[in-house]
Amino acid sequence: MANPKSVLESYKKEINRSLEVFFNLQIAKSNKKAAFFKNSLKSLREYHLRKGGKRIRALLVMLGYTLFKNKRTAGMAKVARAMELIHSSLLIKDDIMDEDILRRGKPALHYFFEKLHQKKYKIGDSKHFGISLGILSGDISSIYAYGSIIDSSFPNQYKIRALERFNQMYFDTVYGQMIDVLNSYRKKVALKDILEVYRYKTAKYTIECPLHLGALLSGAGKRELNLLSSYAIPLGIAFQIKDDILGMFGDKKTVGKPATSDLEEGKQTFVMFFAFKKANQSQRKFLLKCFGQKNIKIGDLKKVRLIIAETGALQYCQEYANLLVRKAKKALSVFKGVNKNTLFLLNYIADYIIKRDY
Amino acid sequence: MANPKSVLESYKKEINRSLEVFFNLQIAKSNKKAAFFKNSLKSLREYHLRKGGKRIRALLVMLGYTLFKNKRTAGMAKVARAMELIHSSLLIKDDIMDEDILRRGKPALHYFFEKLHQKKYKIGDSKHFGISLGILSGDISSIYAYGSIIDSSFPNQYKIRALERFNQMYFDTVYGQMIDVLNSYRKKVALKDILEVYRYKTAKYTIECPLHLGALLSGAGKRELNLLSSYAIPLGIAFQIKDDILGMFGDKKTVGKPATSDLEEGKQTFVMFFAFKKANQSQRKFLLKCFGQKNIKIGDLKKVRLIIAETGALQYCQEYANLLVRKAKKALSVFKGVNKNTLFLLNYIADYIIKRDY
């Protein structure tokens, strides 16, 4: 088969095009609506088309379909687009909750509206205006997501199954986010609460549901969905652990946010949990001092990194993530009589998730 | 036929029971989830079952169905419930945006979480915690709304049509809310922007969409839907004008919020627009002083009420609302061969909307 990277790249282009065409149409359709709304849609389009979106969820929708069908169908791009639309909706609201002002190297959407208020409006509080318009733009994006499935060209019985699965995923993700928010208001968080967030907010959402959506629309049954879950859940948890490592050790330019931001936010991660657990008294004291500390110095970040490495926490997390990826790949080997090219791509993605540097 | 009030009361009971059974089931299903989540669902149940919900939207879903079918069906309650679930989702978020802390005489949901934080958590900002959990609870409620339609027992092709209509309604309402939020950050708002909010955030949402949902599920076609719109849109605008009058002249006990709150918030209403327009210089000066003023004195409220009456703005608004209700009722007279009892109830509701005192 062709180079996997270029195959995935061509899928990604198709998804980006689908998003762009969709937003252009919505903007054109809003001509009779208030000008402010039309401009808000333009900001939402810019947000969706920013460079740096990996489109991993949309890709997995496509692959969940082609695994059981040898041909791609134009309708899949709409459902794949739904995953990107709901993803942006969740990111917009996450950034409000985490008070992050950057996303993919540009202003978070609520922060964009906050700055717009400072420039254009005389009454009221800019920050609150930003939060309100952020919530509403997030809602618009989730409505577009449902609409993309409802409007797709699959038979009604398939669409209903896909909508049911999509709705369940959205629920699971909001549940994961609720626990994540709660964790950020606690000084000490149990490993089980961290893993609950990883399972719901990452594994089910980023890997399992997209694959299931594609598979359901190809007509796959319960057994196939369960096999996909055995691949998706360990891979998703590995994906999140890798994200946390990048959040602490990654490069600002490639990751798109400062390497200090997870630490400053006091983000309760798998990596930090084991760093605290394996640290000696003086190391723990230093970690505690830096954890949740705003405006952290680069020297302190480097020292935190050193502690994570020296305690063995980094190696432990890397090895654990590797183990999960092997488990995921093993689950794939059970599939018989499916599209070999897609199977190859799913293996490739499992490796990529560990090796990526952004 | 039976007394219309008691017929509507029996529908309302059915809807309340459907909501209660639904939440009890969801709470039971969340046993394996984090305890915090289960408790949040209990708060969400309490929020939905508070006294004072008119259930007007859910009632209209039922009536949109029985207008074309002579029998009620158990499945309708689920779709009617969807309207109440999305309504709560929108109210929860509205209260965040408007910074209202009361809803139906009890704490708004984000404010409930704000107070919970003050009591139980040591880290972070209570207000921000409240906003975050409010957004997430609102999202859960909207997910339950979609789920109620997806899970209903109608044929798939009907469910897809209903979901399409529901999704369009949700979009229209968020659009209306966006313009409403924007209006509240402007000192001077054009009548067309006020009416745009009334059309989208009230008429389409409160009256038209519920009727369409019920009608679609009964198998009604485009012509019937259009006729229902001719009833729904004027009635919805009348409903909002009546709401504004109650917001200014109503009794705290029956309306569920202080009579000063619209004035303190600086809410841009049809009534205030005409009060400003018809006021003389000194009256306008006084209105401007009170408009958007926090902690307004009861004497000043009374003086504002007097100005609204003396300028003729109150009478104009009442007459305009009456005219719209007559227009709505006239639209009903075109229907032939439909359920006469339901037709009678729709006429009754049109009158009630003008006469109600809460």
Side-chain angles (χ1 to χ4, degrees):
Chain A
M1 72 173 294
N3 174 353
K5 208 172 160 182
S6 66
V7 175
L8 294 177
E9 212 42 58
S10 83
Y11 276 32
K12 197 173 148 178
K13 267 191 193 150
E14 191 179 340
I15 294 153
N16 286 340
R17 202 169 45 241
S18 171
L19 276 169
E20 190 168 5
V21 169
F22 175 78
F23 271 103
N24 291 346
L25 184 69
Q26 300 308 319
I27 291 165
K29 271 170 67 180
S30 72
N31 260 339
K32 283 186 185 166
K33 292 210 152 69
F36 179 81
F37 180 70
K38 195 171 173 177
N39 289 331
S40 299
L41 281 191
K42 285 181 184 168
S43 312
L44 198 56
R45 174 178 62 187
E46 183 276 323
Y47 186 85
H48 275 83
L49 297 176
R50 280 179 189 177
K51 280 201 181 103
K54 292 187 277 292
R55 309 289 184 221
I56 177 87
R57 296 161 195 85
L59 285 172
L60 288 170
V61 173
M62 313 275 252
L63 297 179
Y65 184 84
T66 58
L67 186 62
F68 304 103
K69 291 258 186 198
N70 278 308
K71 266 201 308 187
R72 281 157 71 175
T73 163
M76 278 318 299
K78 277 195 181 177
V79 181
R81 185 180 73 206
M83 278 306 305
E84 290 302 312
L85 288 163
I86 198 76
H87 186 50
S88 290
S89 170
L90 289 158
L91 290 181
I92 290 165
K93 292 177 186 174
D94 268 27
D95 285 343
I96 293 174
M97 298 179 211
D98 294 344
E99 302 189 75
D100 278 335
I101 60 169
L102 278 183
R103 174 61 66 180
R104 291 178 189 156
K106 295 188 171 177
L109 201 60
H110 70 280
Y111 187 60
F112 163 83
F113 283 110
E114 182 178 333
K115 290 200 304 180
L116 182 76
H117 181 276
Q118 284 168 1
K119 245 196 294 182
K120 283 194 63 177
Y121 300 95
K122 303 280 174 281
I123 310 174
D125 178 59
S126 298
K127 200 176 165 193
H128 196 71
F129 182 86
I131 289 175
S132 298
L133 270 300
I135 295 172
L136 293 167
S137 301
D139 287 343
I140 291 282
S141 200
S142 78
I143 292 165
Y144 283 159
Y146 282 98
S148 294
I149 303 178
I150 295 169
D151 287 350
S152 68
S153 51
F154 295 94
N156 286 331
Q157 83 212 69
Y158 282 22
K159 287 205 273 192
I160 288 289
R161 288 176 74 195
L163 284 162
E164 201 177 0
R165 185 65 188 83
F166 181 82
N167 208 46
Q168 178 64 48
M169 174 282 295
Y170 190 14
F171 177 83
D172 286 343
T173 311
V174 172
Y175 166 67
Q177 172 66 0
M178 211 181 252
I179 307 310
D180 201 13
V181 167
L182 188 69
N183 287 350
S184 73
Y185 285 81
R186 288 162 157 169
K187 201 79 190 165
K188 214 172 147 62
V189 174
L191 185 59
K192 113 179 141 39
D193 287 326
I194 294 174
L195 283 174
E196 187 85 342
V197 175
Y198 286 19
R199 167 173 293 268
Y200 282 92
K201 200 179 150 183
T202 308
K204 283 176 162 290
Y205 165 55
T206 304
I207 319 280
E208 189 191 45
C209 175
L211 284 171
H212 279 187
L213 275 181
L216 278 171
L217 291 169
S218 81
K222 208 167 179 174
R223 184 180 167 273
E224 284 79 20
L225 296 190
N226 285 339
L227 280 176
L228 284 174
S229 297
S230 311
Y231 164 79
I233 301 298
L235 187 62
I237 293 172
F239 180 87
Q240 188 56 52
I241 293 173
K242 179 72 191 189
D243 241 31
D244 296 337
I245 293 172
L246 286 172
M248 195 58 80
F249 292 89
D251 182 51
K252 182 186 170 176
K253 266 189 221 148
T254 45
V255 178
K257 62 176 183 178
T260 48
S261 77
D262 278 10
L263 192 61
E264 289 177 354
E265 204 180 276
K267 202 168 164 189
Q268 303 279 3
T269 67
F270 196 80
V271 178
M272 281 310 290
F273 179 86
F274 283 101
F276 272 115
K277 195 177 164 181
K278 290 169 184 279
N280 63 34
Q281 214 174 359
S282 78
Q283 288 171 326
R284 184 172 298 124
K285 205 173 148 193
F286 188 77
L287 289 179
L288 269 175
K289 179 180 105 63
C290 297
F291 195 64
Q293 179 75 47
K294 304 285 164 202
N295 301 316
I296 207 146
K297 283 181 207 128
I298 191 76
D300 283 350
L301 171 69
K302 281 185 179 166
K303 211 166 153 189
V304 168
R305 284 174 172 171
L306 196 66
I307 292 172
I308 297 173
E310 277 181 350
T311 53
L314 176 62
Q315 201 190 342
Y316 176 79
C317 293
Q318 279 168 333
E319 278 171 12
Y320 189 72
N322 285 334
L323 181 81
L324 290 171
V325 169
R326 278 200 299 280
K327 209 173 152 188
K329 288 171 75 173
K330 206 177 155 194
L332 286 184
S333 67
V334 179
F335 277 111
K336 299 284 174 248
V338 292
N339 183 334
K340 286 214 160 54
N341 286 338
T342 304
L343 209 53
F344 179 79
L345 288 172
L346 290 175
N347 271 295
Y348 173 83
I349 285 173
D351 289 326
Y352 156 80
I353 271 172
I354 283 296
K355 285 178 196 148
R356 73 200 161 102
D357 58 4
Y358 75 99
Chain B
M1 72 172 295
N3 173 354
K5 208 173 160 182
S6 66
V7 175
L8 293 177
E9 212 41 63
S10 83
Y11 276 32
K12 197 173 149 177
K13 267 193 192 146
E14 190 179 341
I15 294 154
N16 285 339
R17 200 168 50 240
S18 171
L19 275 169
E20 191 168 6
V21 169
F22 175 78
F23 272 105
N24 291 346
L25 184 69
Q26 300 309 318
I27 290 165
K29 270 170 69 179
S30 72
N31 259 338
K32 283 187 183 165
K33 291 210 152 69
F36 178 82
F37 180 71
K38 195 172 173 175
N39 290 330
S40 300
L41 281 191
K42 286 181 182 167
S43 313
L44 198 56
R45 174 178 61 188
E46 183 276 323
Y47 186 86
H48 275 82
L49 297 176
R50 280 179 191 177
K51 279 198 182 109
K54 292 184 280 291
R55 311 286 185 222
I56 177 86
R57 295 160 195 85
L59 285 172
L60 288 170
V61 173
M62 314 274 253
L63 297 179
Y65 183 84
T66 58
L67 186 62
F68 304 103
K69 292 259 186 197
N70 277 308
K71 268 201 309 187
R72 281 159 70 175
T73 163
M76 277 319 298
K78 277 195 182 178
V79 181
R81 185 179 74 206
M83 276 308 303
E84 290 303 313
L85 288 163
I86 198 76
H87 186 50
S88 290
S89 171
L90 289 159
L91 290 181
I92 291 166
K93 292 177 187 175
D94 268 26
D95 286 342
I96 293 174
M97 296 179 213
D98 294 345
E99 303 189 72
D100 278 335
I101 61 168
L102 278 183
R103 173 63 65 179
R104 291 175 188 158
K106 295 190 172 175
L109 201 59
H110 71 279
Y111 188 61
F112 163 83
F113 282 111
E114 182 178 332
K115 290 200 302 179
L116 182 75
H117 181 276
Q118 284 167 1
K119 245 197 294 181
K120 282 194 63 174
Y121 300 95
K122 302 280 173 284
I123 310 174
D125 178 59
S126 298
K127 199 174 166 196
H128 196 71
F129 181 85
I131 290 174
S132 297
L133 269 302
I135 296 172
L136 292 168
S137 301
D139 287 342
I140 291 282
S141 200
S142 78
I143 292 165
Y144 283 160
Y146 282 98
S148 294
I149 303 177
I150 294 170
D151 286 350
S152 68
S153 52
F154 295 94
N156 286 331
Q157 83 214 64
Y158 282 23
K159 287 206 273 191
I160 289 289
R161 287 176 75 193
L163 284 162
E164 201 177 356
R165 185 66 188 82
F166 181 81
N167 208 47
Q168 178 65 46
M169 173 282 295
Y170 190 13
F171 177 84
D172 286 343
T173 311
V174 171
Y175 166 68
Q177 170 69 359
M178 211 181 251
I179 306 310
D180 202 12
V181 167
L182 188 69
N183 287 350
S184 73
Y185 285 81
R186 287 163 158 168
K187 201 82 192 166
K188 212 172 150 62
V189 174
L191 185 60
K192 112 180 141 42
D193 288 325
I194 294 174
L195 283 175
E196 186 84 342
V197 175
Y198 286 19
R199 168 173 291 268
Y200 282 93
K201 201 178 150 183
T202 308
K204 283 174 161 288
Y205 165 57
T206 302
I207 320 281
E208 189 192 44
C209 175
L211 285 171
H212 279 187
L213 275 181
L216 277 171
L217 290 169
S218 81
K222 208 164 178 176
R223 185 181 165 273
E224 284 79 18
L225 297 190
N226 286 339
L227 281 176
L228 284 173
S229 298
S230 310
Y231 165 78
I233 301 296
L235 187 61
I237 292 171
F239 180 87
Q240 187 56 50
I241 293 172
K242 179 74 191 187
D243 240 31
D244 296 337
I245 293 172
L246 285 172
M248 193 60 77
F249 292 88
D251 182 51
K252 183 185 168 175
K253 265 188 220 146
T254 44
V255 178
K257 61 176 184 178
T260 49
S261 77
D262 277 10
L263 192 60
E264 289 178 354
E265 206 180 274
K267 205 168 163 187
Q268 303 278 4
T269 66
F270 196 80
V271 178
M272 282 310 290
F273 179 86
F274 283 101
F276 272 115
K277 196 178 164 180
K278 291 169 183 281
N280 63 33
Q281 214 174 0
S282 79
Q283 289 171 323
R284 185 172 297 125
K285 207 174 147 192
F286 187 77
L287 289 179
L288 269 175
K289 179 180 105 69
C290 297
F291 194 64
Q293 178 75 46
K294 305 287 165 201
N295 302 315
I296 206 143
K297 283 181 207 128
I298 192 74
D300 284 349
L301 172 69
K302 281 183 179 164
K303 212 168 152 191
V304 168
R305 284 174 172 171
L306 195 67
I307 292 173
I308 297 174
E310 279 182 350
T311 52
L314 177 62
Q315 200 191 342
Y316 176 79
C317 293
Q318 279 167 333
E319 279 171 11
Y320 190 72
N322 286 334
L323 181 81
L324 290 172
V325 169
R326 279 200 300 280
K327 208 172 152 188
K329 287 171 75 172
K330 204 176 156 196
L332 286 184
S333 67
V334 179
F335 277 111
K336 299 283 173 248
V338 292
N339 183 333
K340 287 214 161 51
N341 286 338
T342 304
L343 209 53
F344 180 79
L345 288 172
L346 290 175
N347 272 295
Y348 173 83
I349 285 174
D351 288 326
Y352 156 79
I353 272 173
I354 283 295
K355 286 177 195 149
R356 73 200 161 102
D357 58 3
Y358 74 98

